[in-house]
C-alpha cells in the first residue's frame, strides 16, 4: 500500500483508564497500518493531564492543534499553545496538562510504538462529542 488515509468519521477513540482525563483518537498504528509507530489525536478535558510517564526507547512528539496547557519534563515547565510542537526523548518523565478554558487537542506521535497502541486499544471506548468532531475537522 502506497499510502493510508485516516477517516475521522470512522475513527475510534479510547481512554486508557476510566479515571483518565485524556483520551485518544486512533489515526495510524500497528493494527491498522502495519507500522512501528503510532499517530493519534490526544484530547485532554478541561483541567485534564496525562499521568506522569516515560518511555524507555520511544520519542514522543506533541503538536498542539487547539487549546493551551503546560508540558512538564524532568523538572522543567513549558507553556504550550496552538501551533507549538514538543519532542520528548526516551527516559524523560513528563506530564502534559490542559490549563486552558476548553479542551486541549494534540497530534501525538510515538516512535517506536513501544506498546502504546496496544495500551490505548486495550482501554475503554469513548464517544467523540460535537466539539471534538468540529476541532478534528478543522472548523
Amino acid at each position: 500500500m502506497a499510502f493510508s488515509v485516516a477517516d475521522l468519521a470512522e475513527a475510534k477513540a479510547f481512554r486508557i483508564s476510566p479515571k483518565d482525563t485524556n483520551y485518544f483518537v486512533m489515526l495510524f498504528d500497528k493494527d491498522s497500518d502495519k507500522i512501528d509507530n503510532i499517530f493519534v489525536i490526544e484530547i485532554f478535558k478541561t483541567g485534564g493531564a496525562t499521568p506522569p510517564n516515560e518511555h524507555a526507547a520511544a520519542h514522543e512528539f506533541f503538536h498542539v492543534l487547539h487549546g493551551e496547557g503546560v508540558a512538564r519534563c524532568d523538572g522543567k515547565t513549558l507553556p504550550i499553545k496552538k501551533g507549538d510542537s514538543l519532542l520528548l526523548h526516551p527516559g524523560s518523565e513528563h506530564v502534559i496538562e490542559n490549563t486552558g478554558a476548553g479542551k486541549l487537542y494534540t497530534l501525538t506521535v510515538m516512535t517506536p510504538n513501544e506498546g502504546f497502541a496496544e495500551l490505548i486499544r486495550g482501554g475503554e471506548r469513548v464517544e467523540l462529542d460535537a466539539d471534538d468532531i468540529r476541532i478534528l475537522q478543522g472548523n
Side-chain angles (χ1 to χ4, degrees):
M1 180 182 326
F3 63 90
S4 297
V5 176
D7 182 354
L8 292 176
E10 300 295 321
K12 294 182 173 79
F14 299 89
R15 179 183 343 270
I16 294 172
S17 168
K19 57 190 171 192
D20 285 351
T21 56
N22 62 320
Y23 50 101
F24 305 87
V25 179
M26 302 299 286
L27 297 177
F28 305 106
D29 71 303
K30 189 176 187 177
D31 282 0
S32 62
D33 301 285
K34 311 293 186 257
I35 57 175
D36 291 333
N37 35 8
I38 177 173
F39 296 77
V40 297
I41 302 295
E42 191 165 358
I43 303 171
F44 299 80
K45 291 182 176 182
T46 304
T50 61
N53 67 96
E54 64 183 79
H55 312 288
H59 286 83
E60 190 168 12
F61 166 82
F62 296 88
H63 178 78
V64 181
L65 301 170
H66 183 85
E68 58 189 59
V70 295
R72 292 188 182 88
C73 182
D74 295 336
K76 296 179 182 164
T77 301
L78 175 71
I80 55 174
K81 65 186 180 326
K82 182 178 179 177
D84 288 344
S85 294
L86 175 69
L87 179 65
L88 300 168
H89 296 276
S92 298
E93 184 177 82
H94 57 277
V95 170
I96 305 296
E97 180 182 354
N98 180 0
T99 58
K103 291 179 184 174
L104 171 66
Y105 295 78
T106 66
L107 169 63
T108 303
V109 179
M110 183 138 40
T111 188
N113 172 45
E114 201 173 282
F116 195 39
E118 294 82 357
L119 182 65
I120 292 170
R121 286 186 182 278
E124 66 182 11
R125 284 289 304 270
V126 174
E127 292 299 320
L128 300 176
D129 65 24
D131 281 338
D132 294 338
I133 301 296
R134 180 179 58 78
I135 296 298
L136 293 175
Q137 292 176 336
N139 299 321

